[in-house]
């Protein structure tokens, strides 16, 4: 059985010190706060739209004279369109920033980069939503510039927190640990909604003020409290621990044909040795085995996942006629399914010591869940159940690729001795995924307007299928490795 490979060194909890717990919580809540500020913008769009459009007209003369001096757009439709444009601008700048932040994070102290990103982003959000409203200064170009800068600053978060987690948590149990930890985005969404709703009655500017203040405080805590790696306090790094333990996992039957199946890398291919350097270049990171396939796969999968994030409440309200508040509450079940899916699938991949086959099975089932959800009846209980199942099979793999698999790719044997690669690899994977998500938001609205919601689900099925296609070489390779391992175990028995 494969169970001992995960647990024979003792339970996971026995391997973790209080430092691991602190790092887990600090990185978890730091990214949750970054996501909370994004969610705040989504939650106050209606209030912003009302503030940016005229509130009174003088219809006694032609053309109609606008009385309100605060108007930025002549109608709510144009204001809504501009808010959607800001979403797209943010996602594209966020994607570009991820490629840059990964490289910067591998060359500077991760604590400084993460803290700077959180505090600076908080200041930008404060200016965007609070200062402009207090001064009654409304300008489209200013909003666009601020949101571009915010996307770049927010992009420092994910590569840094994944890199820190990768420094502290080794391959043993990484799938289940990262699966649980990757719920930070969903927790951030809930936190942002709660913070915004608690003060929205006083004005949308106070929603931005509260989330910006909390995020800035979180950045200060990160600056003084986060330990980037065990070596900072004299503990052995995870690579040293894994090298000591490697002998216990050697195959009973040695040979060239069996070396591949017992390699410690779960998701990547083995190749020729490259020169060890402290911080690898962007091109070298792209050339690492598995990086490009998983990046392209994540572009397709994040498109689907983020489309649910942005469009699910609107779909429920538009397609079933449910109230907006009810649709918002119901959409939480998609996040619940993703949290459970990421944790459980990460655990299974730890047991198998392979990621790609688990992803493949989940994505195949995701296609079926998309077909089922697209035909959900007008019943909230059934819809919530189908939604949770869809989140399990789509959100789960998405969380795995962005966290555990990114850590695997940045910690593979080809670059051992060069631990300064993890943030770069994470930035490449998540940056490519964010480009797909940005393009997807435009395509979803285009397809929905011209063809209807059913064709949107057909589009999701196509993108999920493309995800499987991009990682198919890794699926075949790892399935072959599992079969060879089973044969070796039978022969040795």
């Amino acid at each position: 059985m494969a169970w001992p490979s995960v647990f024979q060194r003792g339970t996971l909890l026995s391997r973790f010190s209080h430092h691991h717990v602190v790092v887990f919580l600090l990185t978890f809540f730091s990214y949750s706060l970054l996501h909370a500020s994004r969610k705040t913008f989504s939650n106050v769009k209606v209030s912003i739209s009302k503030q940016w459009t005229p509130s009174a007209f003088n219809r006694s003369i032609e053309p109609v004279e606008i009385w309100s001096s605060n108007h930025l757009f002549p109608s709510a439709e144009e204001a809504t369109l501009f808010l959607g444009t800001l979403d797209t601008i943010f996602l594209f700048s966020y994607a570009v920033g991820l490629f840059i932040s990964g490289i910067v994070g591998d060359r500077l102290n991760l604590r400084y980069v993460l803290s700077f990103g959180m505090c600076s982003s908080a200041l930008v959000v404060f200016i965007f939503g609070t200062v402009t409203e207090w001064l009654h200064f409304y300008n489209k170009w200013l909003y666009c510039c601020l949101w571009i800068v915010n996307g770049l600053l927010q992009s420092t978060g994910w590569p840094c927190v994944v890199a820190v987690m990768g420094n502290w948590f080794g391959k043993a149990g990484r799938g289940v640990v990262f699966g649980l930890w990757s719920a930070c985005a969903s927790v951030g969404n809930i936190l942002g909604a709660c913070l915004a709703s608690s003060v929205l009655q006083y004005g949308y500017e106070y929603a931005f003020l509260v989330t910006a203040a909390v995020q800035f405080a979180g950045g200060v805590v990160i600056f003084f409290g986060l330990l980037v790696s065990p070596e900072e306090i004299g503990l052995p790094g995870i690579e040293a621990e894994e090298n000591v333990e490697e002998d216990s996992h050697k195959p009973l039957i040695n040979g060239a044909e069996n070396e591949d199946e017992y390699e410690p890398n779960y998701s990547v291919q083995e190749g020729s040795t490259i020169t060890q350097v402290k911080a690898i270049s962007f091109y070298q990171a792209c050339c690492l085995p598995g990086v490009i396939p998983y990046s392209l796969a994540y572009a397709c999968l994040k498109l689907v996942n983020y489309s649910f994030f942005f469009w699910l409440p609107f779909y429920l309200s538009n397609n079933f006629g449910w109230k907006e508040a009810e649709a918002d509450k119901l959409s939480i079940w998609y996040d619940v399914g993703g949290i459970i899916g990421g944790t459980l699938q990460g655990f299974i991949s730890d047991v198998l010591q392979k990621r790609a086959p688990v992803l493949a099975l989940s994505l195949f089932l995701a296609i079926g869940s998309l077909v089922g959800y697209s035909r959900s009846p007008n019943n909230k209980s059934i819809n919530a159940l189908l939604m949770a199942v869809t989140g399990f099979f789509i959100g789960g793999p998405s969380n795995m690729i962005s966290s555990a698999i990114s850590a695997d790719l940045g910690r593979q044997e080809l670059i051992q001795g060069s631990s300064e690669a993890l943030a770069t690899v994470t930035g490449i994977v998540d940056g490519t995924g964010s480009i797909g998500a940005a393009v997807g938001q435009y395509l979803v609205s285009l397809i929905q307007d011209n063809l209807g919601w059913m064709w949107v689900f057909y589009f999701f099925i196509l993108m999920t299928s493309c995800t499987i296609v991009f990682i198919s070489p890794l699926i075949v390779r790892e399935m072959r490795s599992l079969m060879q391992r089973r044969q070796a175990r039978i022969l040795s028995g």
Side-chain angles (χ1 to χ4, degrees):
M1 288 182 64
W3 290 87
S5 63
V6 178
F7 296 109
Q8 68 182 22
R9 300 167 230 173
T11 63
L12 289 176
L13 291 177
S14 68
R15 296 172 55 82
F16 297 157
S17 66
H18 71 279
H19 296 296
H20 290 82
V21 176
V22 172
V23 168
F24 184 99
L25 293 177
L26 285 178
T27 53
F28 184 97
F29 284 107
S30 64
Y31 193 72
S32 295
L33 294 177
L34 288 169
H35 234 266
S37 67
R38 301 181 207 173
K39 187 64 175 176
T40 298
F41 178 67
S42 299
N43 289 339
V44 301
K45 281 183 177 179
V46 174
S47 299
I48 293 178
S49 179
K50 290 180 179 179
Q51 185 65 23
W52 287 353
T53 52
S55 57
F57 297 90
N58 180 5
R59 301 185 182 277
S60 61
I61 60 175
E62 293 292 342
V64 175
E65 180 184 350
I66 299 174
W67 284 9
S68 175
S69 61
N70 294 339
H71 73 277
L72 186 62
F73 299 97
S75 66
E77 289 75 15
E78 292 192 25
T80 302
L81 180 62
F82 180 70
L83 290 172
T85 302
L86 288 178
D87 283 334
T88 303
I89 288 175
F90 174 86
L91 284 172
F92 271 114
S93 63
Y94 181 75
V96 173
L98 282 168
F99 294 110
I100 301 173
S101 298
I103 298 174
V104 173
D106 280 335
R107 286 158 175 78
L108 301 178
N109 189 295
L110 292 168
R111 180 173 67 254
Y112 299 155
V113 176
L114 178 58
S115 178
F116 170 79
M118 293 182 67
C119 293
S120 301
S121 172
L123 291 175
V124 171
V125 170
F126 173 68
I127 295 172
F128 177 93
T130 306
V131 175
T132 55
E133 178 60 28
W134 282 349
L135 298 178
H136 298 294
F137 182 78
Y138 311 102
N139 184 278
K140 290 184 287 186
W141 293 109
L142 174 64
Y143 287 132
C144 288
C145 291
L146 287 174
W147 229 224
I148 290 173
V149 174
N150 188 40
L152 294 173
L153 293 172
Q154 286 245 342
S155 68
T156 60
W158 191 249
C160 290
V161 293
V162 172
V164 172
M165 285 288 291
N167 289 340
W168 279 91
F169 295 89
K171 289 189 289 288
R174 179 179 286 163
V176 65
V177 170
F178 273 78
L180 182 61
W181 175 82
S182 61
C184 56
S186 298
V187 172
N189 295 338
I190 298 172
L191 178 62
C194 293
L195 290 175
S197 61
S198 65
V199 296
L200 192 56
Q201 57 182 322
Y202 305 108
Y204 75 83
E205 64 270 25
Y206 291 98
F208 284 107
L209 174 62
V210 171
T211 53
V214 174
Q215 181 177 309
F216 188 91
V220 174
V221 173
I222 291 297
F223 182 84
F224 290 104
L226 181 64
L227 294 173
V228 171
S229 66
E231 290 87 345
E232 285 192 354
I233 53 175
L235 296 177
I238 60 170
E239 289 171 337
E241 293 180 1
E242 289 165 356
N243 288 337
V244 171
E245 295 164 351
E246 192 66 33
D247 290 339
S248 64
H249 299 282
K250 292 294 183 181
L252 296 175
I253 302 178
N254 289 311
E257 63 201 27
N258 292 323
E259 289 176 1
D260 180 65
E261 65 179 282
Y262 286 95
E263 62 180 356
N265 300 325
Y266 300 157
S267 316
V268 296
Q269 302 172 5
E270 188 166 338
S272 57
T273 304
I274 61 174
T275 303
Q276 306 291 340
V277 292
K278 180 174 178 58
I280 67 174
S281 68
F282 180 86
Y283 175 76
Q284 288 174 312
C286 289
C287 292
L288 289 173
V291 171
I292 294 300
Y294 274 118
S295 296
L296 295 175
Y298 192 49
C300 299
L301 189 58
K302 191 170 184 177
L303 183 155
V304 179
N305 195 41
Y306 260 54
S307 295
F308 271 91
F309 171 74
F310 283 115
W311 290 96
L312 187 54
F314 179 79
Y315 165 74
L316 295 174
S317 180
N318 179 265
N319 194 59
F320 298 106
W322 298 336
K323 294 181 180 180
E324 189 175 20
E326 295 175 341
D328 288 340
K329 293 178 181 178
L330 198 65
S331 64
I332 294 176
W333 287 104
Y334 181 83
D335 284 326
V336 173
I339 293 172
I340 299 173
T343 305
L344 182 58
Q345 292 167 34
F347 173 77
I348 296 173
S349 68
D350 281 341
V351 172
L352 295 177
Q353 295 187 1
K354 302 293 178 184
R355 310 281 191 213
V358 179
L359 283 179
L361 178 60
S362 181
L363 291 171
F364 274 118
L365 294 174
I367 295 175
S369 68
L370 285 169
V371 173
Y373 187 69
S374 67
R375 290 165 171 77
S376 173
N378 193 347
N379 182 289
K380 294 177 183 178
S381 298
I382 297 177
N383 191 283
L385 176 61
L386 293 175
M387 187 190 305
V389 172
T390 304
F392 184 96
F393 292 122
I394 292 179
S398 180
N399 290 343
M400 276 187 60
I401 294 178
S402 64
S403 56
I405 289 177
S406 293
D408 290 343
L409 294 173
R411 282 288 185 180
Q412 51 186 297
E413 280 191 327
L414 288 176
I415 48 176
Q416 279 190 354
S418 174
S419 61
E420 312 301 327
L422 187 47
T424 301
V425 170
T426 303
I428 292 172
V429 174
D430 201 30
T432 308
S434 295
I435 292 176
V439 174
Q441 305 320 301
Y442 173 75
L443 292 178
V444 167
S445 62
L446 186 66
I447 295 172
Q448 191 274 328
D449 288 339
N450 292 278
L451 300 173
W453 283 110
M454 187 57 67
W455 283 93
V456 172
F457 283 99
Y458 292 154
F459 177 59
F460 290 164
I461 292 172
L462 175 63
M463 289 297 99
T464 305
S465 301
C466 289
T467 304
I468 300 174
V469 171
F470 282 126
I471 62 172
S472 57
L474 300 178
I475 297 172
V476 172
R477 174 182 173 275
E478 293 189 3
M479 288 299 296
R480 184 185 298 119
S481 176
L482 286 174
M483 294 176 64
Q484 291 175 347
R485 178 190 300 175
R486 181 181 179 184
Q487 293 175 355
R489 190 173 294 114
I490 293 174
L491 293 175
S492 64

